[in-house]
Amino acid sequence: MIRIESSSEGRARVIGALEASALRALLEGANGRGITLDLTQVYAAEGAAVRLLAELPPERCTVVACPQWLALWLEGEGRELSQGETQDTEPTHSRPEPRRNQS
């Protein structure tokens, strides 16, 4: 789910899974204006959504408060795009489970 922050122009918060269809709809609704995406509450992401974010120029979309696992994935997608590589699969990743003490 993507929630538009009414207190802040052009800012949206993604809650739950980052989905390509919701991200595309948000970008279309922005009518070419730049948006800021708060990804604090993202726990899963579609591969297509991550690739879409990685392809966007910084003036079109700024990502803030991105979980580390997702930031690393975005970084990897950015490297692949710059090297001209693509994947045919559509992976979905989620936040790793916290480690539990085995005492």
Side-chain angles (χ1 to χ4, degrees), residues 16-69:
L18 178 63
E19 299 174 343
S21 59
L23 185 55
R24 278 190 205 96
L26 177 67
L27 292 167
E28 288 172 10
N31 295 320
R33 293 185 312 267
I35 60 169
T36 300
L37 275 183
D38 181 337
L39 302 180
T40 307
Q41 297 179 18
V42 171
Y43 64 80
E46 291 179 342
V50 175
R51 277 190 296 284
L52 177 58
L53 272 182
E55 292 172 354
L56 291 172
E59 59 274 3
R60 185 76 168 97
C61 182
T62 302
V63 174
V64 297
C66 187
Q68 184 178 9
W69 64 269

Side-chain angles (χ1 to χ4, degrees), residues 69-88:
W69 64 269
L70 185 51
L72 292 170
W73 189 6
L74 279 166
E75 184 180 305
E77 287 293 333
R79 277 195 307 270
E80 286 181 14
L81 287 169
S82 67
Q83 296 171 357
E85 298 175 17
T86 59
Q87 281 189 357
D88 293 333

